[in-house]
Amino acid sequence: MKVYITGMGTVSSLGNTVPEMFSSLLENKTAVRRMEGWENYKGLNSYVGATVPQYDIMRVPRTARRTMSPMSEMATLATMEAIRQADVSIGNGQSTPRVLMCLGSTTGSPENFETYFKKIIERGGPEGQMGTTFFKVMNHSVNANVAAALGFKGAALSPSSACSTSAQSMIMGWELIQSGMYDIVIAGGADELHYTSTSVFDIVMAASRGYNDRPTETPRPFDVKRDGLVVAEGASVIVMESEASAKARGIRRLAEFCGGAYICDGAHMSQSNKFNMLDVMKATLERAKINAEDIQYVNAHATGTVQGDAEEAQAISEIFGKNVPVSSLKGHFGHSLAACGTLEVISSVQMMNEQVLIPTRNLTEIDPACTGIFHLQEKKSFPTTKVMSNNFAFGGMNTSLIIGASGD
Amino acid sequence: MTNQDIIARVNAIMSEGFEIPADQLKPEATLFDDLGLDSLDAVDMLVSLEDNVGIRVDSEQLKTVRTMQDIYNLVGNLVAKSEATH
């Protein structure tokens, strides 16, 4: 059974709708900037980040907003955009047993965790805690808040695997639609920028430290002068739908979701390696029943870390050699963690449908450790019908997926 | 703190924290039916009152509150007790 993408929505560092975001990408913009005041956090060395433009959440009722941190607000707006495009009838309390909502985040709201525990420690107990705070820090806060905001009544799952969260959401969606359990899956992820998120990467020396005074020059995926990733925020959501459902509704199919795989390498919490990346890319080709020769573009995870980028370049090289254009979008968006997988799928769908490929921003001198692949260093008009997109996360959570032109 | 001060403080919390238009904040307005609040709001309202007015409200006392006037009275009594002990 074929699965299609029929709706897309985003609140991203480069725009709060899909058209705005993609327009910024085409202009090769970056959202990375120096974060004011971050130099005051003891032990933090990376002061760069990428926040989203101001958005309007006031159209969501107060009773839904009161339990939302920014990640749930962004996810709600992205979901509204996606379901509007897909023109699916969900919400307002009507039962939708054939629809799954599958949205996740890395953690609950970091900012609210901080204020919650700070007060606990100051007061010596729970005195003075707001009743609404906990609903911002649950592992499924994003999914639950979006469901409450829309009045969605149906199955909801909240995958959580850090930077591969939304990739897992989509691949699970593909699996579950294929299984016949659901006709429609609303899949994606969200995360908000907070200094504690950047700290996690900074502590393990994976965050960019050397460009605090030149923020637009980092991250630098595959570049010889790359020094780490830059954390971003945002939410990205797609509507996935069975072929039968899309045809019955007569809705335009934006792309086919051809398949994907997620494999935990069970090897190392923070260090990725090319062999495990290769495993998941090969498994993806196999599951999607697509030959490597049919892939015309690879959207790399490449976040700008010294080790991860080199390992991924080598893994891609093993399969595709120098034949297939490769780029990473982290130099534009920063790394939006749980949202990035879906954000990169949405970007890839737009690239495929507009027959253009976006290059890797800030890649000026290819690192010798990242050679062996066809690096895109400038925008290219290029027709593609099959795209592979990779995402790798802490915990050895490796994912890869393939999307294809829908023919519509 | 005068009664007017207390009413102004409570009304500010209701407007800013719970987005209730000022013209709906009448003494006889019931919190749940007229103003659309619920039990989750009641907990946050209690915390906001404590933080903004500097009083400690027993959650059992909150259960007796039905209207805006009930809040004014509760806060007024707690403020009076607090001022009497200082």
Side-chain angles (χ1 to χ4, degrees):
Chain A
M1 183 190 296
K2 288 192 174 186
V3 175
Y4 290 93
I5 297 169
T6 55
M8 307 192 292
T10 192
V11 172
S12 78
S13 58
L14 283 177
N16 291 345
T17 62
V18 171
E20 274 177 39
M21 173 278 284
F22 194 65
S23 168
S24 299
L25 267 188
L26 287 172
E27 292 170 34
N28 206 32
K29 286 183 179 171
T30 175
V32 176
R33 62 183 176 88
R34 185 178 171 118
M35 301 301 295
E36 200 177 328
W38 279 24
E39 64 277 6
N40 298 324
Y41 294 118
K42 274 187 189 171
L44 184 67
N45 304 289
S46 177
Y47 313 146
V48 283
T51 52
V52 302
Q54 194 170 5
Y55 52 80
D56 175 21
I57 192 66
M58 295 306 280
R59 59 184 137 145
V60 173
R62 181 193 70 85
T63 48
R65 269 187 283 120
R66 66 185 166 171
T67 50
M68 289 184 180
S69 75
M71 65 171 78
S72 293
E73 293 176 347
M74 295 186 284
T76 299
L77 296 176
T79 304
M80 288 166 77
E81 184 186 7
I83 63 175
R84 196 182 316 119
Q85 183 175 31
D87 196 23
V88 285
S89 178
I90 63 161
N92 303 317
Q94 64 171 319
S95 182
T96 44
R98 299 289 298 167
V99 181
L100 169 70
M101 187 175 283
C102 194
L103 306 173
S105 59
T106 299
T107 61
S109 167
E111 184 179 352
N112 282 278
F113 270 125
E114 187 183 31
T115 51
Y116 183 83
F117 286 111
K118 196 175 172 194
K119 203 166 189 180
I120 289 258
I121 292 164
E122 280 172 2
R123 300 268 182 109
E127 180 187 271
Q129 291 291 349
M130 301 287 263
T132 42
T133 304
F134 181 69
F135 305 107
K136 301 174 183 174
V137 300
M138 303 184 297
N139 291 347
H140 66 305
S141 281
V142 166
N143 217 345
N145 274 297
V146 172
L150 300 178
F152 172 77
K153 190 175 180 184
L157 274 178
S158 304
S160 182
S161 59
C163 312
S164 62
T165 295
S166 59
Q168 279 204 313
S169 300
M170 295 182 291
I171 299 164
M172 281 175 61
W174 172 73
E175 291 173 333
L176 291 168
I177 291 173
Q178 290 246 316
S179 77
M181 286 183 73
Y182 302 104
D183 298 325
I184 291 173
V185 175
I186 297 158
D191 263 316
E192 61 201 47
L193 180 61
H194 192 251
Y195 78 92
T196 54
S197 307
T198 297
S199 302
V200 169
F201 295 98
D202 196 34
I203 289 163
V204 297
M205 292 182 286
S208 177
R209 298 175 170 183
Y211 294 88
N212 290 330
D213 296 323
R214 292 175 290 156
T216 59
E217 294 176 30
T218 191
R220 309 178 66 82
F222 302 122
D223 188 86
V224 72
K225 290 180 181 165
R226 70 189 182 283
D227 74 340
L229 60 78
V230 175
V231 179
E233 64 181 359
S236 289
V237 176
I238 60 170
V239 176
M240 307 173 73
E241 190 162 359
S242 70
E243 181 174 32
S245 172
K247 278 191 172 172
R249 295 195 313 112
I251 192 76
R252 181 183 168 218
R253 299 167 299 176
L254 305 171
E256 182 182 352
F257 194 97
C258 305
Y262 43 89
I263 302 175
C264 176
D265 63 30
H268 199 284
M269 277 291 157
S270 62
Q271 286 179 12
S272 51
N273 75 63
K274 66 176 179 182
F275 301 108
N276 295 317
M277 293 171 168
L278 258 177
D279 282 348
V280 79
M281 291 163 71
K282 284 179 179 171
T284 294
L285 289 165
E286 199 171 303
R287 296 187 90 194
K289 298 183 179 67
I290 287 171
N291 296 320
E293 307 83 70
D294 295 326
I295 301 293
Q296 293 130 345
Y297 165 66
V298 176
N299 186 274
H301 182 61
T303 60
T305 63
V306 173
Q307 199 216 0
D309 289 13
E311 295 291 329
E312 186 175 9
Q314 289 165 37
I316 294 169
S317 177
E318 285 272 337
I319 298 180
F320 300 105
K322 285 194 163 184
N323 298 324
V324 180
V326 178
S327 69
S328 159
L329 303 179
K330 302 296 195 298
H332 301 82
F333 293 118
H335 185 359
S336 55
L337 311 181
C340 79
T342 307
L343 179 61
E344 287 155 9
V345 159
I346 293 171
S347 303
S348 296
V349 169
Q350 293 294 90
M351 283 189 246
M352 198 161 54
N353 289 344
E354 299 201 14
Q355 303 203 341
V356 62
L357 294 179
I358 309 281
T360 301
R361 197 180 192 282
N362 294 329
L363 174 55
T364 51
E365 186 182 349
I366 298 165
D367 182 354
C370 300
T371 53
I373 59 175
F374 176 3
H375 285 287
L376 268 173
Q377 289 178 273
E378 53 189 46
K379 192 165 65 179
K380 188 178 172 68
S381 291
F382 194 81
T384 51
T385 55
K386 292 282 185 296
V387 170
M388 174 176 269
S389 180
N390 294 333
N391 289 114
F392 311 113
F394 278 164
M397 309 298 278
N398 302 317
T399 64
S400 184
L401 57 89
I402 296 170
I403 57 168
S406 70
D408 283 359
Chain B
M1 197 181 293
T2 66
N3 279 344
Q4 287 309 311
D5 291 338
I6 288 167
I7 291 170
R9 291 265 191 111
V10 170
N11 285 359
I13 288 169
M14 301 303 278
S15 294
E16 290 161 21
F18 301 93
E19 300 174 21
I20 298 169
D23 61 356
Q24 292 182 25
L25 294 173
K26 295 171 182 164
E28 66 275 18
T30 57
L31 301 181
F32 286 13
D33 290 338
D34 293 339
L35 303 182
L37 303 186
D38 61 16
S39 57
L40 193 53
D41 290 322
V43 176
D44 284 4
M45 187 177 68
L46 180 145
V47 174
S48 299
L49 286 170
E50 291 182 340
D51 286 351
N52 284 282
V53 190
I55 52 171
R56 287 280 160 263
V57 185
D58 185 334
S59 56
E60 289 300 315
Q61 291 173 300
L62 198 69
K63 287 180 182 172
T64 65
V65 168
R66 296 280 177 273
T67 65
M68 288 299 295
Q69 186 64 54
D70 292 340
I71 303 181
Y72 303 144
N73 292 344
L74 175 63
V75 173
N77 289 337
L78 290 170
V79 168
K81 274 186 195 171
S82 170
E83 287 174 347
T85 57
H86 283 86

mmCIF file of all heavy atoms in Angstrom, chain B residues 44-79:
data_model
loop_
_atom_site.group_PDB
_atom_site.id
_atom_site.type_symbol
_atom_site.label_atom_id
_atom_site.label_comp_id
_atom_site.label_asym_id
_atom_site.label_seq_id
_atom_site.Cartn_x
_atom_site.Cartn_y
_atom_site.Cartn_z
ATOM 1 N N ASP B 44 -4.120 27.605 39.858
ATOM 2 C CA ASP B 44 -3.207 28.666 39.417
ATOM 3 C C ASP B 44 -3.616 30.020 40.001
ATOM 4 O O ASP B 44 -2.764 30.859 40.306
ATOM 5 C CB ASP B 44 -3.168 28.736 37.883
ATOM 6 C CG ASP B 44 -2.340 27.606 37.286
ATOM 7 O OD1 ASP B 44 -1.879 26.740 38.055
ATOM 8 O OD2 ASP B 44 -2.155 27.566 36.052
ATOM 9 N N MET B 45 -4.925 30.205 40.179
ATOM 10 C CA MET B 45 -5.397 31.446 40.782
ATOM 11 C C MET B 45 -4.903 31.557 42.229
ATOM 12 O O MET B 45 -4.434 32.616 42.667
ATOM 13 C CB MET B 45 -6.928 31.484 40.750
ATOM 14 C CG MET B 45 -7.518 32.799 41.193
ATOM 15 S SD MET B 45 -9.309 32.761 41.041
ATOM 16 C CE MET B 45 -9.741 31.583 42.300
ATOM 17 N N LEU B 46 -4.954 30.450 42.913
ATOM 18 C CA LEU B 46 -4.482 30.433 44.306
ATOM 19 C C LEU B 46 -3.005 30.819 44.377
ATOM 20 O O LEU B 46 -2.593 31.662 45.180
ATOM 21 C CB LEU B 46 -4.703 29.028 44.889
ATOM 22 C CG LEU B 46 -4.293 28.744 46.324
ATOM 23 C CD1 LEU B 46 -5.269 27.758 46.955
ATOM 24 C CD2 LEU B 46 -2.889 28.148 46.384
ATOM 25 N N VAL B 47 -2.206 30.215 43.504
ATOM 26 C CA VAL B 47 -0.766 30.509 43.498
ATOM 27 C C VAL B 47 -0.524 31.977 43.145
ATOM 28 O O VAL B 47 0.310 32.647 43.763
ATOM 29 C CB VAL B 47 -0.024 29.585 42.508
ATOM 30 C CG1 VAL B 47 1.446 29.983 42.377
ATOM 31 C CG2 VAL B 47 -0.127 28.139 42.946
ATOM 32 N N SER B 48 -1.289 32.480 42.173
ATOM 33 C CA SER B 48 -1.124 33.879 41.775
ATOM 34 C C SER B 48 -1.494 34.818 42.921
ATOM 35 O O SER B 48 -0.815 35.826 43.152
ATOM 36 C CB SER B 48 -2.009 34.198 40.565
ATOM 37 O OG SER B 48 -1.638 33.398 39.483
ATOM 38 N N LEU B 49 -2.560 34.490 43.648
ATOM 39 C CA LEU B 49 -2.963 35.314 44.799
ATOM 40 C C LEU B 49 -1.859 35.310 45.854
ATOM 41 O O LEU B 49 -1.499 36.358 46.405
ATOM 42 C CB LEU B 49 -4.257 34.777 45.418
ATOM 43 C CG LEU B 49 -5.556 35.037 44.651
ATOM 44 C CD1 LEU B 49 -6.711 34.233 45.258
ATOM 45 C CD2 LEU B 49 -5.895 36.523 44.659
ATOM 46 N N GLU B 50 -1.324 34.145 46.109
ATOM 47 C CA GLU B 50 -0.264 34.040 47.126
ATOM 48 C C GLU B 50 0.951 34.873 46.737
ATOM 49 O O GLU B 50 1.510 35.605 47.553
ATOM 50 C CB GLU B 50 0.134 32.569 47.310
ATOM 51 C CG GLU B 50 -0.954 31.755 47.974
ATOM 52 C CD GLU B 50 -0.548 30.310 48.203
ATOM 53 O OE1 GLU B 50 0.402 29.831 47.532
ATOM 54 O OE2 GLU B 50 -1.182 29.667 49.041
ATOM 55 N N ASP B 51 1.347 34.748 45.463
ATOM 56 C CA ASP B 51 2.557 35.452 45.008
ATOM 57 C C ASP B 51 2.347 36.963 44.933
ATOM 58 O O ASP B 51 3.253 37.737 45.241
ATOM 59 C CB ASP B 51 2.988 34.936 43.627
ATOM 60 C CG ASP B 51 3.610 33.551 43.705
ATOM 61 O OD1 ASP B 51 3.852 33.083 44.840
ATOM 62 O OD2 ASP B 51 3.838 32.924 42.657
ATOM 63 N N ASN B 52 1.145 37.376 44.521
ATOM 64 C CA ASN B 52 0.916 38.802 44.282
ATOM 65 C C ASN B 52 0.466 39.564 45.517
ATOM 66 O O ASN B 52 0.754 40.749 45.645
ATOM 67 C CB ASN B 52 -0.131 38.987 43.176
ATOM 68 C CG ASN B 52 0.451 38.708 41.806
ATOM 69 O OD1 ASN B 52 1.135 39.537 41.259
ATOM 70 N ND2 ASN B 52 0.220 37.519 41.282
ATOM 71 N N VAL B 53 -0.273 38.902 46.384
ATOM 72 C CA VAL B 53 -0.810 39.611 47.545
ATOM 73 C C VAL B 53 0.000 39.289 48.807
ATOM 74 O O VAL B 53 -0.104 39.972 49.822
ATOM 75 C CB VAL B 53 -2.315 39.277 47.750
ATOM 76 C CG1 VAL B 53 -2.951 40.176 48.794
ATOM 77 C CG2 VAL B 53 -3.069 39.432 46.428
ATOM 78 N N GLY B 54 0.810 38.256 48.737
ATOM 79 C CA GLY B 54 1.658 37.912 49.876
ATOM 80 C C GLY B 54 0.901 37.232 50.999
ATOM 81 O O GLY B 54 1.170 37.472 52.179
ATOM 82 N N ILE B 55 -0.087 36.421 50.654
ATOM 83 C CA ILE B 55 -0.846 35.693 51.671
ATOM 84 C C ILE B 55 -0.705 34.200 51.431
ATOM 85 O O ILE B 55 -0.231 33.780 50.380
ATOM 86 C CB ILE B 55 -2.362 36.058 51.624
ATOM 87 C CG1 ILE B 55 -2.876 35.886 50.175
ATOM 88 C CG2 ILE B 55 -2.585 37.463 52.148
ATOM 89 C CD1 ILE B 55 -4.378 36.007 50.033
ATOM 90 N N ARG B 56 -1.058 33.407 52.393
ATOM 91 C CA ARG B 56 -1.093 31.953 52.215
ATOM 92 C C ARG B 56 -2.543 31.500 52.273
ATOM 93 O O ARG B 56 -3.219 31.712 53.281
ATOM 94 C CB ARG B 56 -0.291 31.249 53.327
ATOM 95 C CG ARG B 56 1.199 31.397 53.171
ATOM 96 C CD ARG B 56 1.759 30.419 52.138
ATOM 97 N NE ARG B 56 3.069 30.860 51.639
ATOM 98 C CZ ARG B 56 3.251 31.536 50.517
ATOM 99 N NH1 ARG B 56 2.245 31.858 49.757
ATOM 100 N NH2 ARG B 56 4.457 31.888 50.128
ATOM 101 N N VAL B 57 -3.027 30.873 51.223
ATOM 102 C CA VAL B 57 -4.418 30.430 51.165
ATOM 103 C C VAL B 57 -4.455 28.914 51.357
ATOM 104 O O VAL B 57 -3.748 28.188 50.649
ATOM 105 C CB VAL B 57 -5.061 30.792 49.804
ATOM 106 C CG1 VAL B 57 -6.541 30.428 49.811
ATOM 107 C CG2 VAL B 57 -4.878 32.265 49.488
ATOM 108 N N ASP B 58 -5.231 28.486 52.305
ATOM 109 C CA ASP B 58 -5.428 27.051 52.505
ATOM 110 C C ASP B 58 -6.310 26.535 51.359
ATOM 111 O O ASP B 58 -7.350 27.129 51.055
ATOM 112 C CB ASP B 58 -6.134 26.849 53.859
ATOM 113 C CG ASP B 58 -6.269 25.382 54.213
ATOM 114 O OD1 ASP B 58 -6.293 24.554 53.280
ATOM 115 O OD2 ASP B 58 -6.361 25.071 55.413
ATOM 116 N N SER B 59 -5.880 25.450 50.717
ATOM 117 C CA SER B 59 -6.665 24.966 49.570
ATOM 118 C C SER B 59 -8.082 24.579 49.985
ATOM 119 O O SER B 59 -9.005 24.610 49.171
ATOM 120 C CB SER B 59 -5.949 23.794 48.885
ATOM 121 O OG SER B 59 -5.702 22.770 49.809
ATOM 122 N N GLU B 60 -8.290 24.241 51.261
ATOM 123 C CA GLU B 60 -9.647 23.931 51.741
ATOM 124 C C GLU B 60 -10.524 25.180 51.701
ATOM 125 O O GLU B 60 -11.712 25.109 51.399
ATOM 126 C CB GLU B 60 -9.602 23.371 53.177
ATOM 127 C CG GLU B 60 -9.009 21.964 53.282
ATOM 128 C CD GLU B 60 -9.814 20.932 52.470
ATOM 129 O OE1 GLU B 60 -11.045 20.932 52.549
ATOM 130 O OE2 GLU B 60 -9.174 20.146 51.734
ATOM 131 N N GLN B 61 -9.887 26.328 52.019
ATOM 132 C CA GLN B 61 -10.647 27.590 51.992
ATOM 133 C C GLN B 61 -11.109 27.912 50.566
ATOM 134 O O GLN B 61 -12.180 28.460 50.356
ATOM 135 C CB GLN B 61 -9.781 28.751 52.506
ATOM 136 C CG GLN B 61 -9.469 28.681 53.991
ATOM 137 C CD GLN B 61 -8.472 29.759 54.382
ATOM 138 O OE1 GLN B 61 -7.363 29.796 53.885
ATOM 139 N NE2 GLN B 61 -8.895 30.649 55.273
ATOM 140 N N LEU B 62 -10.260 27.537 49.625
ATOM 141 C CA LEU B 62 -10.580 27.841 48.228
ATOM 142 C C LEU B 62 -11.837 27.107 47.767
ATOM 143 O O LEU B 62 -12.572 27.582 46.907
ATOM 144 C CB LEU B 62 -9.383 27.460 47.337
ATOM 145 C CG LEU B 62 -9.372 28.093 45.955
ATOM 146 C CD1 LEU B 62 -9.111 29.590 46.046
ATOM 147 C CD2 LEU B 62 -8.304 27.437 45.075
ATOM 148 N N LYS B 63 -12.069 25.953 48.374
ATOM 149 C CA LYS B 63 -13.231 25.147 47.957
ATOM 150 C C LYS B 63 -14.549 25.851 48.249
ATOM 151 O O LYS B 63 -15.576 25.524 47.661
ATOM 152 C CB LYS B 63 -13.209 23.789 48.666
ATOM 153 C CG LYS B 63 -12.138 22.845 48.122
ATOM 154 C CD LYS B 63 -12.166 21.530 48.855
ATOM 155 C CE LYS B 63 -11.073 20.610 48.356
ATOM 156 N NZ LYS B 63 -10.956 19.395 49.184
ATOM 157 N N THR B 64 -14.529 26.804 49.177
ATOM 158 C CA THR B 64 -15.775 27.503 49.537
ATOM 159 C C THR B 64 -16.048 28.686 48.621
ATOM 160 O O THR B 64 -17.107 29.292 48.684
ATOM 161 C CB THR B 64 -15.703 28.023 50.992
ATOM 162 O OG1 THR B 64 -14.659 29.012 51.056
ATOM 163 C CG2 THR B 64 -15.399 26.903 51.978
ATOM 164 N N VAL B 65 -15.087 28.999 47.769
ATOM 165 C CA VAL B 65 -15.213 30.177 46.919
ATOM 166 C C VAL B 65 -16.087 29.869 45.711
ATOM 167 O O VAL B 65 -15.858 28.889 45.003
ATOM 168 C CB VAL B 65 -13.814 30.655 46.468
ATOM 169 C CG1 VAL B 65 -13.929 31.681 45.358
ATOM 170 C CG2 VAL B 65 -13.048 31.228 47.639
ATOM 171 N N ARG B 66 -17.084 30.705 45.466
ATOM 172 C CA ARG B 66 -17.965 30.525 44.304
ATOM 173 C C ARG B 66 -17.958 31.755 43.394
ATOM 174 O O ARG B 66 -18.030 31.629 42.190
ATOM 175 C CB ARG B 66 -19.414 30.266 44.760
ATOM 176 C CG ARG B 66 -19.600 28.975 45.542
ATOM 177 C CD ARG B 66 -19.669 27.755 44.606
ATOM 178 N NE ARG B 66 -19.777 26.497 45.343
ATOM 179 C CZ ARG B 66 -18.747 25.801 45.797
ATOM 180 N NH1 ARG B 66 -17.509 26.234 45.584
ATOM 181 N NH2 ARG B 66 -18.913 24.672 46.468
ATOM 182 N N THR B 67 -17.934 32.920 44.012
ATOM 183 C CA THR B 67 -18.060 34.167 43.238
ATOM 184 C C THR B 67 -16.833 35.062 43.432
ATOM 185 O O THR B 67 -15.992 34.817 44.306
ATOM 186 C CB THR B 67 -19.290 34.972 43.699
ATOM 187 O OG1 THR B 67 -19.054 35.387 45.061
ATOM 188 C CG2 THR B 67 -20.567 34.159 43.620
ATOM 189 N N MET B 68 -16.790 36.110 42.621
ATOM 190 C CA MET B 68 -15.710 37.095 42.772
ATOM 191 C C MET B 68 -15.756 37.717 44.170
ATOM 192 O O MET B 68 -14.724 37.940 44.789
ATOM 193 C CB MET B 68 -15.840 38.194 41.702
ATOM 194 C CG MET B 68 -15.494 37.752 40.298
ATOM 195 S SD MET B 68 -13.796 37.188 40.123
ATOM 196 C CE MET B 68 -12.880 38.689 40.456
ATOM 197 N N GLN B 69 -16.974 37.986 44.671
ATOM 198 C CA GLN B 69 -17.100 38.572 46.006
ATOM 199 C C GLN B 69 -16.489 37.639 47.057
ATOM 200 O O GLN B 69 -15.857 38.096 48.017
ATOM 201 C CB GLN B 69 -18.576 38.839 46.321
ATOM 202 C CG GLN B 69 -18.803 39.576 47.645
ATOM 203 C CD GLN B 69 -18.194 40.978 47.640
ATOM 204 O OE1 GLN B 69 -18.475 41.792 46.768
ATOM 205 N NE2 GLN B 69 -17.309 41.251 48.609
ATOM 206 N N ASP B 70 -16.676 36.323 46.855
ATOM 207 C CA ASP B 70 -16.080 35.356 47.791
ATOM 208 C C ASP B 70 -14.552 35.497 47.809
ATOM 209 O O ASP B 70 -13.923 35.366 48.862
ATOM 210 C CB ASP B 70 -16.439 33.918 47.394
ATOM 211 C CG ASP B 70 -17.914 33.609 47.571
ATOM 212 O OD1 ASP B 70 -18.584 34.334 48.334
ATOM 213 O OD2 ASP B 70 -18.391 32.647 46.931
ATOM 214 N N ILE B 71 -13.974 35.739 46.634
ATOM 215 C CA ILE B 71 -12.505 35.906 46.598
ATOM 216 C C ILE B 71 -12.113 37.191 47.321
ATOM 217 O O ILE B 71 -11.177 37.193 48.124
ATOM 218 C CB ILE B 71 -11.962 35.973 45.152
ATOM 219 C CG1 ILE B 71 -12.359 34.739 44.361
ATOM 220 C CG2 ILE B 71 -10.438 36.085 45.165
ATOM 221 C CD1 ILE B 71 -11.812 34.748 42.939
ATOM 222 N N TYR B 72 -12.829 38.281 47.017
ATOM 223 C CA TYR B 72 -12.501 39.540 47.692
ATOM 224 C C TYR B 72 -12.562 39.346 49.222
ATOM 225 O O TYR B 72 -11.684 39.805 49.951
ATOM 226 C CB TYR B 72 -13.480 40.658 47.297
ATOM 227 C CG TYR B 72 -13.574 40.959 45.821
ATOM 228 C CD1 TYR B 72 -14.788 41.316 45.232
ATOM 229 C CD2 TYR B 72 -12.442 40.907 44.999
ATOM 230 C CE1 TYR B 72 -14.892 41.604 43.876
ATOM 231 C CE2 TYR B 72 -12.550 41.182 43.626
ATOM 232 C CZ TYR B 72 -13.771 41.529 43.073
ATOM 233 O OH TYR B 72 -13.869 41.808 41.739
ATOM 234 N N ASN B 73 -13.602 38.646 49.668
ATOM 235 C CA ASN B 73 -13.766 38.449 51.118
ATOM 236 C C ASN B 73 -12.637 37.592 51.687
ATOM 237 O O ASN B 73 -12.064 37.912 52.734
ATOM 238 C CB ASN B 73 -15.105 37.761 51.413
ATOM 239 C CG ASN B 73 -16.285 38.661 51.089
ATOM 240 O OD1 ASN B 73 -16.118 39.881 50.932
ATOM 241 N ND2 ASN B 73 -17.465 38.074 50.973
ATOM 242 N N LEU B 74 -12.323 36.502 50.979
ATOM 243 C CA LEU B 74 -11.276 35.598 51.460
ATOM 244 C C LEU B 74 -9.941 36.328 51.547
ATOM 245 O O LEU B 74 -9.245 36.267 52.573
ATOM 246 C CB LEU B 74 -11.158 34.382 50.519
ATOM 247 C CG LEU B 74 -10.032 33.392 50.801
ATOM 248 C CD1 LEU B 74 -10.213 32.724 52.161
ATOM 249 C CD2 LEU B 74 -9.973 32.310 49.708
ATOM 250 N N VAL B 75 -9.603 37.022 50.463
ATOM 251 C CA VAL B 75 -8.324 37.727 50.446
ATOM 252 C C VAL B 75 -8.333 38.838 51.507
ATOM 253 O O VAL B 75 -7.354 39.021 52.245
ATOM 254 C CB VAL B 75 -8.042 38.323 49.046
ATOM 255 C CG1 VAL B 75 -6.791 39.195 49.060
ATOM 256 C CG2 VAL B 75 -7.885 37.199 48.025
ATOM 257 N N GLY B 76 -9.462 39.543 51.632
ATOM 258 C CA GLY B 76 -9.568 40.618 52.621
ATOM 259 C C GLY B 76 -9.328 40.096 54.029
ATOM 260 O O GLY B 76 -8.579 40.700 54.813
ATOM 261 N N ASN B 77 -9.940 38.979 54.354
ATOM 262 C CA ASN B 77 -9.769 38.400 55.693
ATOM 263 C C ASN B 77 -8.328 37.980 55.943
ATOM 264 O O ASN B 77 -7.772 38.208 57.034
ATOM 265 C CB ASN B 77 -10.679 37.174 55.856
ATOM 266 C CG ASN B 77 -12.136 37.571 55.944
ATOM 267 O OD1 ASN B 77 -12.449 38.717 56.306
ATOM 268 N ND2 ASN B 77 -13.034 36.662 55.588
ATOM 269 N N LEU B 78 -7.712 37.358 54.931
ATOM 270 C CA LEU B 78 -6.329 36.889 55.109
ATOM 271 C C LEU B 78 -5.360 38.059 55.215
ATOM 272 O O LEU B 78 -4.407 38.014 55.999
ATOM 273 C CB LEU B 78 -5.933 35.964 53.941
ATOM 274 C CG LEU B 78 -6.645 34.604 53.935
ATOM 275 C CD1 LEU B 78 -6.391 33.872 52.630
ATOM 276 C CD2 LEU B 78 -6.175 33.750 55.112
ATOM 277 N N VAL B 79 -5.620 39.118 54.453
ATOM 278 C CA VAL B 79 -4.762 40.306 54.527
ATOM 279 C C VAL B 79 -4.911 40.957 55.904
ATOM 280 O O VAL B 79 -3.919 41.345 56.532
ATOM 281 C CB VAL B 79 -5.117 41.318 53.400
ATOM 282 C CG1 VAL B 79 -4.456 42.669 53.649
ATOM 283 C CG2 VAL B 79 -4.694 40.765 52.044
#
